Amino acid sequence: MKLLFSIITFFVFLISCSNEPSVQQKEALPNTPETVSKKWQLLLDNNEIEKVAELSTDNTKGWLKENKELFLSDTQVYKTQFVKMDCQEEGEQATCIYLIKEEGEFIEDFFSLKKIDGQWLVDIEEDTNAPELEEQIFKEMEKELKLD
């Protein structure tokens, strides 16, 4: 009986030691406008498009899908250096205005975010008025330079 108990105990021990967790715990997503914005940009800099999508609204996922080939074909390594970031929340929406340093120059831009099901996500909306805006800017430049 002791032999049988020892064999059973030995097999239970082997089974418990050899079983690795079959489900790996998923890394927790950042969940403040600032941490989401910075993580989103870091992942984009590293062309981790699927991970970027986890921190993106449906609008942004569409933008990522449209530009995926462009991102993946770019072999240049980017490392965005945030100099400053200021995030303002208004209910389920946030705007993070940031300053980055790129090739010795400072550039100011912003992230728009939406809180969906308790998670902050980067929200890029396509600017449908861009051609008209560019044309208007060009016309103003012509006037300034007196090219018309």
Side-chain angles (χ1 to χ4, degrees), residues 35-139:
T35 57
V36 168
S37 298
K38 288 180 177 179
K39 182 71 170 188
W40 188 92
Q41 186 63 53
L42 174 69
L43 293 169
L44 188 63
D45 287 350
N46 290 301
N47 289 333
E48 296 182 55
I49 306 302
E50 282 72 31
K51 290 183 180 179
V52 174
E54 292 178 9
L55 293 172
S56 302
T57 63
D58 288 340
N59 286 337
T60 306
K61 287 177 185 175
W63 178 83
L64 288 168
K65 186 176 180 181
E66 288 175 18
N67 294 288
K68 185 175 183 176
E69 293 300 318
L70 178 68
F71 295 133
L72 297 179
S73 67
D74 187 358
T75 58
Q76 185 173 352
V77 177
Y78 296 97
K79 180 160 175 40
T80 302
Q81 295 177 349
F82 289 99
V83 176
K84 180 181 172 185
M85 183 175 286
D86 180 40
C87 299
Q88 301 293 318
E89 294 179 34
E90 290 185 30
E92 303 293 300
Q93 301 205 13
T95 301
C96 292
I97 299 171
Y98 62 87
L99 185 67
I100 60 172
K101 187 174 183 180
E102 188 175 293
E103 297 179 6
E105 292 187 36
F106 292 99
I107 301 168
E108 187 176 65
D109 206 346
F110 67 94
F111 286 104
S112 292
L113 296 98
K114 287 185 179 177
K115 196 173 202 178
I116 299 175
D117 296 329
Q119 175 65 51
W120 284 105
L121 302 171
V122 173
D123 186 43
I124 295 176
E125 292 187 23
E126 292 291 330
D127 187 6
T128 57
N129 296 328
E132 292 84 11
L133 180 61
E134 288 176 9
E135 186 175 331
Q136 180 183 358
I137 291 171
F138 181 73
K139 286 181 180 181

